Amino acid sequence: APSQQSHSQCSSLCTTRITNSNLVLHATGEDPNNVEEDDEETQPVSDGRYDVSKLVGGADDGAGFNQFDPVLKATGFLSRRFGILGGLSVFAALAFVEGGEIMKSFDDVTPTEGSAQTITTASGLQSTELLIGKGGSTVLPGYIIGLQAKVSVGDKVIYDTAGDKPIAFKLGQRPFQNVICEGVEEGIKGMKVGGKRVLQVPKNLAPPGVDLPEGVPLTYEVELTEVLSGYF
């Protein structure tokens, strides 16, 4: 009897709870059969991975879209339209164009016009830059230098390599060779192949044995033709 009474009370209680639940759900317009499904839909689903769909541009190109790589969209379109070869063709074309520009920058050694301003150093040497060379290395002590030179005193030309072989010498070597002197070594510092300068060399920097009138410099018109790091 006690067992039947307990069972009867439980049934009555459960019926009341279900009835109350139905009343609430019916009042809100919800179907009690969909309670568990709604709970599942409202819970965020996470598979432990990051959403990287927008890192390289999604359908809406929203936040995170790589706006600085339009090639990506072009190659993606071509790959979808024409296959992988279509996408690769874009890269091949870009490599050809950019590679050509890079090689051109290496090959372009055409001298540019100098400032034509005359600079006087502490030693009294005057140097005027006519052309700025771009070829090869900058001259350094111990390098083999080749240059064309025209040497004059006033209006009188005393030495000219025009139509002949350039003068070749080792920078810093002593004794000086040919018409090379301290004034020339100082005056070609910083030059590269193709560069041209006019040097006004005072008596204290002129070649030994050259008798210059007082106050009259030795004029060198030099053009650098070769700069080698040493004999091979």
Side-chain angles (χ1 to χ4, degrees):
S3 176
Q4 292 179 354
Q5 183 179 359
S6 175
H7 178 71
S8 175
Q9 291 176 353
C10 178
S11 300
S12 175
L13 179 61
C14 291
T15 303
T16 302
R17 286 181 178 177
I18 293 173
T19 302
N20 292 338
S21 176
N22 288 339
L23 288 174
V24 173
L25 292 172
H26 289 160
T28 56
E30 296 181 357
D31 186 353
N33 295 326
N34 295 333
V35 173
E36 293 183 359
E37 294 181 1
D38 291 344
D39 291 342
E40 291 179 357
E41 290 179 358
T42 57
Q43 293 179 356
V45 178
S46 174
D47 60 358
R49 294 178 297 177
Y50 292 102
D51 182 8
V52 296
S53 61
K54 291 184 178 181
L55 292 181
V56 292
D60 299 328
D61 291 347
F65 172 60
N66 189 352
Q67 303 177 26
F68 303 101
D69 193 4
V71 178
L72 187 63
K73 295 189 76 173
T75 54
F77 170 76
L78 290 175
S79 295
R80 292 190 297 271
R81 184 70 175 82
F82 302 104
I84 189 64
L85 292 179
L88 292 176
S89 65
V90 175
F91 284 105
L94 288 175
F96 178 78
V97 173
E98 294 298 328
E101 291 297 323
I102 294 173
M103 293 305 298
K104 186 185 295 183
S105 66
F106 282 115
D107 294 338
D108 186 12
V109 293
T110 305
T112 58
E113 187 174 352
S115 63
Q117 293 182 349
T118 300
I119 299 174
T120 303
T121 66
S123 63
L125 175 72
Q126 293 184 335
S127 175
T128 305
E129 192 101 60
L130 301 181
L131 289 177
I132 301 174
K134 295 183 179 180
S137 304
T138 304
V139 296
L140 292 173
Y143 279 21
I144 306 301
I145 311 300
L147 57 81
Q148 298 282 1
K150 179 181 178 181
V151 187
S152 58
V153 179
D155 295 334
K156 184 178 180 181
V157 177
I158 61 175
Y159 189 87
D160 193 353
T161 61
D164 202 351
K165 293 181 180 180
I167 303 170
F169 66 98
K170 188 173 184 178
L171 188 63
Q173 182 179 358
R174 299 294 186 271
F176 291 113
Q177 303 171 12
N178 212 318
V179 292
I180 303 303
C181 59
E182 290 185 25
V184 172
E185 287 196 338
E186 182 180 344
I188 65 174
K189 287 181 179 179
M191 292 184 70
K192 288 187 174 183
V193 172
K196 284 186 179 182
R197 289 179 183 175
V198 176
L199 309 175
Q200 303 288 345
V201 180
K203 186 174 183 178
N204 61 305
L205 300 178
V210 175
D211 188 15
L212 293 173
E214 193 64 33
V216 177
L218 195 61
T219 302
Y220 282 77
E221 298 177 27
V222 297
E223 176 183 359
L224 214 62
T225 59
E226 198 81 48
V227 176
L228 300 174
S229 59
Y231 289 114
F232 298 97

